[in-house]
Amino acid sequence: MAASDPNSRSDSLPAEGVAFLSASALAERLDEEIRRAERHGTQLSCLLLVIDNLEEFSREHGSDLSEQTLAYVGGALRRELRRFDRIGRPAAEELLIVLPGADGPRGEMVARRVLDRVRTIKVEADGARRPLRVSLGLAAWRSDSDPEQLLSRARAATRVRNGENGAGGMVSAAPPAR
């Protein structure tokens, strides 16, 4: 079981892997970033990455492969983000990326970079290489949103994409332009 990545860099992940924010720490961080955005009049976006075939990998090859895949994807994404962006795990097969200071269009630029990066990663198990099937939802913060609502909108964006066009793309749940 291994992840195959033609774009891997020589700066390997630390031995302990990528530290994701837990669901509770993620909620606290989102609340903190929302308060900061309210105080300073800045923007905030979140990207929700769902690996759609992660459960399938787990059934076929055990839960260790799922955890290794998430850790690898998180590490690959960590190197693509700013040092103050955060990655957390709100649920088993989800990664939430918190983008302080990013409005909807900037969040969309990051989302496209994330999709491009994740599409290069393949999971190798039993001698076969398989691509990750992913959905990515983008939600831009609105002044009337709390952390749960922001996460719910990002989840809804991933479901809309899956329901309409199948997995593998991005949908924005950004507020209307002002």
Side-chain angles (χ1 to χ4, degrees), residues 3-76:
S4 174
D5 184 358
N7 293 322
S8 66
R9 297 180 181 176
S10 61
D11 55 336
S12 61
L13 297 176
E16 67 275 3
V18 176
F20 297 117
L21 295 175
S22 66
S24 60
L26 185 60
E28 287 178 28
R29 181 62 185 234
L30 272 174
D31 187 54
E32 178 184 319
E33 292 300 340
I34 286 172
R35 290 182 203 201
R36 182 175 291 122
E38 288 173 335
R39 275 193 316 273
H40 299 289
T42 58
Q43 301 295 316
L44 172 65
S45 290
C46 291
L47 300 175
L48 184 69
L49 178 74
V50 179
I51 301 176
D52 299 312
N53 55 345
L54 197 61
E55 189 175 312
E56 180 182 323
F57 292 151
S58 184
R59 276 193 316 271
E60 293 175 10
H61 306 287
S63 61
D64 285 349
L65 182 59
S66 296
E67 290 303 314
Q68 289 172 2
T69 301
L70 281 168
Y72 191 88
V73 169

Side-chain angles (χ1 to χ4, degrees), residues 120-153:
T120 66
I121 299 171
K122 307 288 186 268
V123 172
E124 188 169 333
D126 298 333
R129 295 179 68 212
R130 295 170 48 194
L132 298 176
R133 287 191 324 260
V134 299
S135 298
L136 188 65
L138 167 63
W141 171 73
R142 300 182 213 169
S143 60
D144 61 344
S145 298
D146 64 23
E148 294 82 24
Q149 292 167 327
L150 191 57
L151 180 57
S152 291
R153 288 188 15 254

Side-chain angles (χ1 to χ4, degrees), residues 104-116:
R106 285 185 182 91
E108 189 171 336
M109 288 188 309
V110 175
R112 291 184 192 289
R113 229 178 32 241
V114 164
L115 275 177
D116 287 344

